[in-house]
Amino acid sequence: MYIIEMIMYLVVLSIVTFQIYFFSMVEKTLQAEDAVNANSFGSVGLSIFLDCLVVIYCLRWVAREAWEMVDGGIRVYLRDGWNWLEVPTLLLMLCFSILDIITSGAPGMVEGEGIVVADTRTVFGSLCGVLMWLRLLYFLRGFSGTGPFVRIVLEIVKVSIANSKQPCSR
């Protein structure tokens, strides 16, 4: 099950990374050409299909996280540090995909509110991309080649956080 979950996550990570890169290129092209033409964005259907795959994955992930909360209780759920990374990642993935569906026809314009929606999508996409790549460490823990390194990095982060909470002595 672990390997299947990792493969599904890698597929969704690839889709989101592609969409972030693709729409970045489209916006640069629009700025260079200074024209808005819905046909210049490529296949709108493909974009919506990919976003729907991401939303379906996110809904499955929400169900799994909800089951984990109900099964162990909220206190147990919040003790796991990975959950503190998973919840914002999940919310950003959903927001990014929904905004991407809204702006799939014309990323530069959505009924007069285009600049706000496009900028919000860009911010959500950027944050989502960073958090998704960080969450990849969760899956790398399970392999003998990368697991020890991930544990070392996590220990360094824990020690750094603990040291940053101590007051400076002069």
Side-chain angles (χ1 to χ4, degrees), residues 21-89:
Y21 177 75
F22 176 75
F23 280 111
S24 169
M25 292 291 105
V26 166
E27 288 170 358
K28 286 181 183 178
T29 303
L30 281 178
Q31 290 173 357
E33 294 176 1
D34 201 33
V36 176
N37 181 3
N39 294 329
S40 68
F41 301 118
S43 175
V44 174
L46 176 63
S47 176
I48 291 174
F49 174 73
L50 293 175
D51 284 321
C52 288
L53 285 178
V54 172
V55 169
I56 290 169
Y57 177 81
C58 288
L59 293 176
R60 181 187 166 281
W61 191 3
V62 165
R64 196 179 76 232
E65 293 297 312
W67 177 257
E68 191 177 329
M69 271 190 242
V70 169
D71 189 40
I74 191 75
R75 289 183 184 190
V76 173
Y77 180 81
L78 292 176
R79 279 190 209 135
D80 186 7
W82 289 108
N83 292 330
W84 288 92
L85 178 65
E86 288 178 346
V87 171
T89 305

Side-chain angles (χ1 to χ4, degrees), residues 149-163:
F149 297 115
V150 172
R151 285 186 208 94
I152 289 170
V153 168
L154 291 177
E155 285 303 315
I156 291 170
V157 169
K158 286 178 187 176
V159 168
S160 298
I161 290 172
N163 288 339

